[in-house]
Amino acid sequence: MKIKDMVSVAVMAAVICILTPLSVPIGPIPISLANFIILLTVYILGTKKAFLSVLIFLLIGLAGAPVFSGFQGGIAKLAGPTGGFLIGYLPMVLIAGAFIEKSRRKLLLSMAGMMIATAVLYALGTAWFVSLTGKTLAAALALCVTPFIVLDLAKMLVVALVGPVLYNALVKAGVLDRAVIA
């Protein structure tokens, strides 16, 4: 990995760490910018580098830094009822990244990939929540998914519209190399 790539990964990990703690508590799952900035990271950096950025973010939080929602960190947060959403960011990156890269960042396919990735995030997070809280699936869906669908769709649309502009500007400025897509 080139130094420029390492810096890009580190900068986006830092941005994730800065924006994710900003949240609005509306129940056990807060409204946060986490999935927005993570999907934007995928769009800008591509799957592999975004995965590293998210992994660094998770490790920083696991080490106890207050980078998770509500300025929390540590193993208790990761192992707690909302930990499945945190862990779910990794497959979310892989799925969204596959669609974004294979579609050459085309709007509709990128949106489809982000929707599927978010559905997987919801499924993992909700299953984890149910297993740790003992709530019914219906109750967990009402707490963990339903309140977020519309806002998450809006975040995905913003990523799909702003992502190409940022990506192309960063490539043009020489900050990023244009992705070679097979």
Side-chain angles (χ1 to χ4, degrees), residues 100-173:
I100 291 166
E101 289 177 3
K102 293 296 180 191
S103 73
R104 300 182 190 272
R105 294 172 168 77
K106 301 261 188 282
L107 178 71
L108 293 180
L109 289 174
S110 293
M111 280 292 295
M114 288 187 277
M115 285 186 229
I116 292 167
T118 301
V120 169
L121 174 71
Y122 287 163
L124 290 172
T126 302
W128 187 295
F129 185 83
V130 166
S131 72
L132 290 180
T133 65
K135 298 224 183 262
T136 65
L137 179 59
L141 289 171
L143 290 169
C144 301
V145 176
T146 306
F148 304 97
I149 293 172
V150 172
L151 185 57
D152 285 346
L153 285 169
K155 291 175 194 175
M156 288 178 242
L157 183 58
V158 171
V159 169
L161 295 173
V162 172
V165 175
L166 288 173
Y167 174 76
N168 288 325
L170 291 168
V171 168
K172 187 176 180 180

Side-chain angles (χ1 to χ4, degrees), residues 23 29 35-36 38 44 47 49 51 55 65 70 74 76 81 100-101 110-111 122 133 139 148 151 154 169 176:
S23 59
I29 310 296
N35 57 344
F36 169 76
I38 289 170
I44 292 169
T47 307
K49 290 182 266 184
F51 188 88
L55 184 60
I100 291 166
E101 289 177 3
S110 293
M111 280 292 295
Y122 287 163
T133 65
F148 304 97
L151 185 57
L176 295 176

